[in-house]
Amino acid sequence: MDIDLILSNFLNPPILFFFLGMLAVFLHSDLEIPQPIAKFLSLYLLLAIGFKGGVSLYQSGINYQVAVTIALAMLMASVVPLYSFFILRWRLGVADAAAIAATYGSISAVTFITATSLLTKLDIDYGGHLVAAMALMESPAIIIGVLFYRLFRTDDQGKDKSEFSWSELLRDAFFNGSVLLLIGSLAIGAMTGESGKQALQPFTGDLFKGLLAFFLLDMGLVAARRLRDLRKAGIFLVSFGILVPLLNAALGLGVAYWAGLPLGDAFLFVVLCASASYIAVPAAVRLAIPEANPSLYVPMSLAITFPFNIIVGLPLYLQAINHLWR
């Protein structure tokens, strides 16, 4: 792997703040980000990346490649939980396998945002429609995970079918706060274009990287605290949390190459395929698969896959794309 690319990612200030958060936990520091501030930062990042993506979409317009990219993203979000479920069934029950499969079929908005920060640092262009793809990849994985849970659980587990509300699940899958804010911000950015971009400066522009660093500081704190939960996961799930994202990235890379995506778009597409949700899916899974153990699927995505992608995955995926595209 190109050492310059590794250093470029590693020495990116937001990444260093992520490490600082983890270090604070390891040193038993009392450093803490108040929950309301952490929530604000999460909402801000979704709004900012959605709005910036909408402005980019306004500038580039909607064309065949945009439609193909979004369709392929949704296809990957549907395929990944299919094979993930059957891999997980080797060791886990139906509920846990379905929940984790949904988690890995969905995406991490923060990983995506960090990837866009890396592209910006390297002066690599990317399309705003990838933000729309990101938002639309949340729901298929949730729905497929729940479908598998309901198809494969035993009759004894299925006694509560009448208590389950598909309308509530679909509303949560398609209109949960993160998806709605992303799509809404994307639409506003696409409608207002350059004038909207100027109107929201520096809120969605110059302040973005600083607030991303602050958010990743909090994520470092949270991820390090979740590491202790991994004792319940065992070596199989720890390995799954690293190897399956690599498999997903390889599949995404092949799809992006076949579709002829530009370098920046291909990188973000691969990052989306390789990431795992720790916000939208856990919220939906708590509702739809109550038997699933959150001490498995949350630490796997947050304490294994997220740090792996941030530290190792991003430069690895970009290096592979650079090799194939240039």
Side-chain angles (χ1 to χ4, degrees):
M1 195 187 301
D2 188 346
I3 190 66
D4 291 335
L5 189 55
I6 296 174
L7 288 174
S8 181
N9 181 61
F10 187 82
L11 296 178
N12 198 4
I15 301 296
L16 292 175
F17 275 99
F18 177 79
F19 284 121
L20 179 60
M22 297 192 78
L23 180 64
V25 174
F26 297 149
L27 295 177
H28 303 288
S29 169
D30 62 353
L31 178 63
E32 186 75 47
I33 306 297
Q35 187 55 38
I37 294 178
K39 180 69 173 177
F40 163 76
L41 292 170
S42 177
L43 293 173
Y44 165 80
L45 291 174
L46 292 171
L47 183 152
I49 195 67
F51 183 80
K52 289 163 70 175
V55 172
S56 297
L57 196 58
Y58 171 87
Q59 293 168 342
S60 65
I62 298 176
N63 52 39
Y64 174 76
Q65 188 177 68
V66 169
V68 167
T69 303
I70 292 174
L72 290 174
M74 295 185 70
L75 176 64
M76 286 297 296
S78 302
V79 170
V80 169
L82 295 180
Y83 61 75
S84 296
F85 176 81
F86 291 105
I87 293 172
L88 290 159
R89 282 292 287 136
W90 289 348
R91 295 290 185 90
L92 300 178
V94 171
D96 287 329
I100 296 171
T103 298
Y104 280 82
S106 188
I107 57 90
S108 163
V110 180
T111 307
F112 178 89
I113 291 167
T114 307
T116 64
S117 175
L118 177 61
L119 290 181
T120 301
K121 183 178 181 182
L122 297 173
D123 292 322
I124 299 174
D125 293 330
Y126 61 91
H129 59 283
L130 268 299
V131 178
M134 174 179 66
L136 294 172
M137 287 178 79
E138 291 270 22
S139 303
I142 294 172
I143 293 168
I144 288 173
V146 174
L147 280 173
F148 271 39
Y149 166 66
R150 293 179 66 78
L151 283 172
F152 289 95
R153 64 182 177 174
T154 64
D155 291 338
D156 185 56
Q157 290 173 305
K159 288 180 179 177
D160 64 342
K161 285 184 180 180
S162 61
E163 300 175 10
F164 182 81
S165 170
W166 274 102
S167 62
E168 193 173 351
L169 170 70
L170 293 173
R171 186 182 68 245
D172 209 48
F174 286 100
F175 299 111
N176 69 73
S178 60
V179 173
L180 186 62
L181 181 57
L182 264 175
I183 294 178
S185 301
L186 182 82
I188 292 169
M191 287 188 291
T192 58
E194 195 63 35
S195 62
K197 178 181 177 181
Q198 295 300 321
L200 286 189
Q201 280 285 20
F203 185 67
T204 57
D206 297 338
L207 294 178
F208 179 81
K209 201 159 191 176
L211 290 175
L212 173 60
F214 203 179
F215 182 75
L216 284 179
L217 172 66
D218 181 58
M219 292 305 302
L221 292 167
V222 174
R225 289 176 186 137
R226 285 287 186 177
L227 286 174
R228 68 193 68 174
D229 294 333
L230 294 181
R231 288 174 293 184
K232 301 176 184 177
I235 189 64
F236 172 74
L237 292 182
V238 172
S239 300
F240 181 96
I242 295 173
L243 297 178
V244 167
L246 288 173
L247 171 62
N248 298 343
L251 288 175
L253 182 64
V255 170
Y257 186 78
W258 171 80
L261 300 186
L263 190 149
D265 292 4
F267 173 62
L268 293 180
F269 183 85
V270 170
V271 169
L272 288 173
C273 294
S275 64
S277 174
Y278 51 83
I279 298 174
V281 171
V285 163
R286 277 198 298 270
L287 164 73
I289 314 177
E291 293 90 347
N293 185 355
S295 68
L296 294 180
Y297 58 82
V298 174
M300 283 180 65
S301 59
L302 185 55
I304 301 174
T305 304
F306 176 69
F308 173 79
N309 274 328
I310 291 293
I311 299 165
V312 178
L314 297 187
L316 177 64
Y317 309 147
L318 190 54
Q319 175 71 15
I321 290 169
N322 275 328
H323 179 73
L324 289 174
W325 264 248
R326 290 178 175 173

